[in-house]
Structures are given as C-alpha cells and as structure tokens.
Amino acid sequence: MPKSAPVRVEIPAIGVDSTLVGLGLQADGTLQVPPAGFPAGWYSGAPTPGERGPAVIVGHVDWGGHAGVFYGLHNLKPNDEIADARADGPEAVARVRLEERINVEPLG
C-alpha cells in the first residue's frame, strides 16, 4: 500500500478502538508518547500501516492508576487481528504472532 497516515486502530479481541495522534522524536532522540491514557499514537517517522516496513503504533497500558488504551494487550492471542484505518480509505490489517515478545505481521 502507498504511504497514508493512519487515523484509527482497532483490536476487537481486546476492545480497542482508538483514534491516533501523530508522534515524532523528542530532542534527545527518544520517541514522543501520547499525552494521556487515550488515544494511541503512531510514529510519523516510520512506514505507515500497510506500507512495506515496520509501522510503530504506541499507547499506554495504564495512566495515572487507570487503564490506558492498550491495557488488555497481554490478552492478545495468536491470529488476533489489528486493523488500522488510513486517511486514504483502505484498512491495513495485521495478525498477532506471539513469541518471546508480541509481534504483529501484516496479512497478505
């Protein structure tokens, strides 16, 4: 798929449905993080979902003692789907692959 900003992430298996905010790098070279528990964000310096290469979607597990957007991440199972709606219309869909850490691989 061509480059197109992601606007929403959905992970039905754990009840995630979040808009996305664009994130960059801080002055020290570390990734910016979403400013609160919701919404999730995407790193605008990486490929976008659906493009060739690793897209980076980030979000908090907890925030100030409350569940964040990715609180249920530990409940993901192999083959659960992650869908990223893109500004150009089509969704980029990926499948969870569990190893020593959580990995996501594109479908198709």
Side-chain angles (χ1 to χ4, degrees), residues 20-21 23 31-34 39-43 56-60 69-70:
L20 293 168
V21 295
L23 303 169
L31 180 64
Q32 291 176 320
V33 296
W42 68 281
Y43 173 47
V56 179
I57 305 291
V58 299
H60 296 281
V69 65
F70 290 144

Side-chain angles (χ1 to χ4, degrees), residues 13-105:
I14 59 171
V16 171
D17 183 358
S18 175
T19 57
L20 293 168
V21 295
L23 303 169
L25 297 178
Q26 299 185 80
D28 66 0
T30 59
L31 180 64
Q32 291 176 320
V33 296
F38 292 85
W42 68 281
Y43 173 47
S44 60
T48 60
E51 245 187 318
R52 184 175 200 104
V56 179
I57 305 291
V58 299
H60 296 281
V61 172
D62 57 51
W63 180 263
H66 300 281
V69 65
F70 290 144
Y71 181 79
L73 210 57
H74 64 282
N75 292 320
L76 285 176
K77 295 184 176 98
N79 297 316
D80 285 344
E81 290 188 356
I82 299 170
D84 290 295
R86 298 161 30 105
D88 65 357
E91 283 190 337
V93 180
R95 179 181 318 123
V96 173
R97 183 181 74 202
L98 297 178
E99 294 176 1
E100 289 181 25
R101 62 179 200 262
I102 294 175
N103 291 297
V104 177
E105 61 185 34

